[in-house]
Amino acid sequence: MSLLVVGSVAYDGIETPFGKKDRILGGSATYISLAASYFANQINLVGVVGKDFADEDIELLKSKDIDLEGLQIDKSGNTFFWQGKYHYDLNNRDTLDTQLNVFEHFDPIIPDGYKDSKYVALGNIEPSLQEKVLDQVNNPDLVVMDTMNFWIEGTPDALKKTLKGVDLLVINDSEARELAEEPNLIKAADKVREMGPDSLIIKKGEHGALLFAGDEIFSAPAYPVIDIFDPTGAGDTFMGGLLGWLSYTDDLTPNNMRKAVIFGSVMASFCVEKFGPERLKDLTEKEIYDRYREFRQLSEIPEID
Ligand code: AMP
C-alpha cells in the first residue's frame, strides 16, 4: 500500500557531545521516508527544497525508491536550515538557528497520483499546512501526525482543528501533557484522544513509548543503545518505521499495531547510532529483524509458577 509523506526536507547543523557536523541532510520528511523505505512498497514524498539542494541527496532518496514527483524545487532560495546543539542529557537540545528559506512559502500540493495513498504521514509542520494535505487526499485508511510544543503553544486552534482529521497522533510525553493540560500521562492520553485521534502514541525519549489504541495500552521498551551519537530525527524515524510496517502489512489490528511500534523503535535505535540519517542509508533486513528480536527479549516477563 502506498504511503504519502509530507514534511520538511532540510539541511541541519548538529553538535552533540560526540562531534559536530556543519551541514548534513535532515528534515522530518527525509527521516520518515528513509526509515519507511525499508518496508513500504511505494513512498510518495511531498516537500520543498531550494537551489542549494545537492544532487547526491536527490540520488540518495531515489536510490531508496522514494518517489519525488511531489518534491518541489524552488530555485528562488535555499533549503530550510536548522541548527541544534545537544548536551550530555540528549533528551534536551537547544535550537541555535532556524532559516526557513524556501520553506517559508511552502504550499503542499499533492500530485494527482498521490491522492489515493492509503497511509498518510504528516510530519511536524504548521498545522494549517497539515490540514491542507488532508483536504487533498481521498479517504486514506490511516492518517498519522506528529506535532511539537511550538504549535501547541503558537497555533492551538489550528492544531485542534487538524487533529479532528487524524487517526493516530505521535507525540512525546511533555507535548502530551501540554496539549491536554494534564500532568498524568494516562489521563492526558484520554483527553488528547477526545480531541480527534482514535489512537495515540506517546514517545518517552530513551525510555520507550506507549501506544493507546482501543481499550488497550501497550508499553514498548527502550533499546539500550550503547553508541548514541546524535538523536536528531529519532522521532521522525520512529514514525517512518511504524508507518512503513503498517503500509507494508496493510493490517491495523491491535497485534500488528504493537509490531509497528516496535519496528518504529528499532529504526529510531539505529538512527541515533550515527550523525544525521547516515545509519539509515545502508541497513540490512537482517540487522532490522535481529534488533526486533532483541526488543522482544528485552521485555519478556516470566510467568509466575
Ligand atoms: P526530530 O529530532 O525527530 O524532532 O526531528 C529533527 C528534524 O526536524 C531535523 O532534521 C530538522 O531539520 C527538522 N526541523 C527542525 N525544526 C523544524 C521546523 N520548525 N519545521 C520543520 N522541521 C524542522
Side-chain angles (χ1 to χ4, degrees):
M1 288 293 153
S2 54
L3 168 63
L4 171 64
V5 179
V6 185
S8 55
V9 179
Y11 284 119
D12 294 339
I14 304 166
E15 189 176 340
T16 81
F18 315 107
K20 193 169 182 279
K21 293 271 180 206
D22 291 334
R23 188 179 163 87
I24 190 165
L25 180 64
S28 55
T30 307
Y31 282 103
I32 295 170
S33 302
L34 286 175
S37 73
Y38 287 90
F39 309 98
N41 295 322
Q42 173 69 43
I43 299 175
N44 302 324
L45 190 153
V46 171
V48 64
V49 295
K51 60 179 186 300
D52 60 339
F53 201 68
D55 289 345
E56 67 180 61
D57 292 326
I58 294 277
E59 289 314 313
L60 168 70
L61 297 171
K62 281 189 180 163
S63 74
K64 296 289 175 195
D65 281 336
I66 297 165
D67 191 286
L68 300 181
E69 188 194 339
L71 182 67
Q72 304 163 25
I73 300 178
D74 181 346
K75 299 273 185 201
S76 71
N78 284 334
T79 303
F80 175 77
F81 179 78
W82 174 81
Q83 194 182 4
K85 181 175 175 169
Y86 297 84
H87 305 279
Y88 273 103
D89 172 5
L90 293 164
N91 284 320
N92 289 316
R93 69 181 173 205
D94 300 328
T95 290
L96 303 180
D97 193 8
T98 301
Q99 297 169 21
L100 289 175
N101 298 330
V102 294
F103 201 52
E104 190 173 353
H105 304 292
F106 175 48
D107 183 12
I109 298 165
I110 312 299
D112 285 342
Y114 291 5
K115 288 184 176 167
D116 287 324
S117 301
K118 287 287 162 219
Y119 291 81
V120 176
L122 299 174
N124 175 20
I125 53 172
E126 201 181 318
S128 61
L129 293 182
Q130 292 173 318
E131 183 154 20
K132 248 183 158 171
V133 174
L134 297 185
D135 289 342
Q136 296 173 69
V137 291
N138 303 323
N139 265 323
D141 286 352
L142 187 78
V143 174
V144 182
M145 175 178 145
D146 183 14
T147 191
M148 69 190 287
N149 296 45
F150 185 73
W151 308 118
I152 296 171
E153 290 155 24
T155 57
D157 295 338
L159 176 63
K160 284 181 184 155
K161 197 161 167 257
T162 307
L163 279 176
K164 292 193 197 311
V166 169
D167 301 304
L168 169 62
L169 179 68
V170 183
I171 49 178
N172 68 33
D173 44 0
S174 68
E175 291 160 352
R177 290 189 173 99
E178 191 170 353
L179 179 58
E181 297 181 42
E182 165 61 59
N184 178 295
L185 263 194
I186 307 300
K187 289 184 187 165
D190 283 344
K191 282 191 161 186
V192 171
R193 291 173 76 188
E194 280 165 18
M195 295 176 189
D198 203 35
S199 308
L200 173 69
I201 292 175
I202 299 182
K203 297 170 290 179
K204 297 185 291 169
E206 58 188 332
H207 307 298
L210 292 171
L211 164 71
F212 300 83
D215 297 331
E216 284 186 8
I217 303 178
F218 171 58
S219 174
Y223 183 77
V225 183
I226 294 170
D227 298 319
I228 297 194
F229 276 94
D230 170 23
T232 308
D236 305 312
T237 301
F238 174 92
M239 191 161 152
L242 174 106
L243 264 166
W245 178 257
L246 290 176
S247 63
Y248 165 62
T249 52
D250 195 26
D251 173 359
L252 296 174
T253 56
N255 205 36
N256 201 49
M257 293 286 285
R258 289 182 177 218
K259 291 182 192 170
V261 171
I262 301 299
F263 276 113
S265 308
V266 163
M267 298 311 283
S269 75
F270 282 122
C271 174
V272 302
E273 288 179 350
K274 284 190 179 172
F275 265 93
E278 212 51 38
R279 189 74 174 96
L280 301 179
K281 289 183 180 173
D282 51 11
L283 284 167
T284 63
E285 206 173 285
K286 182 172 183 320
E287 283 176 307
I288 294 171
Y289 284 85
D290 280 353
R291 190 158 292 184
Y292 184 97
R293 289 184 197 100
E294 284 182 65
F295 263 91
R296 285 202 65 219
Q297 278 167 1
L298 262 173
S299 51
E300 214 166 74
I301 301 175
E303 279 284 358
I304 302 174
D305 323 296

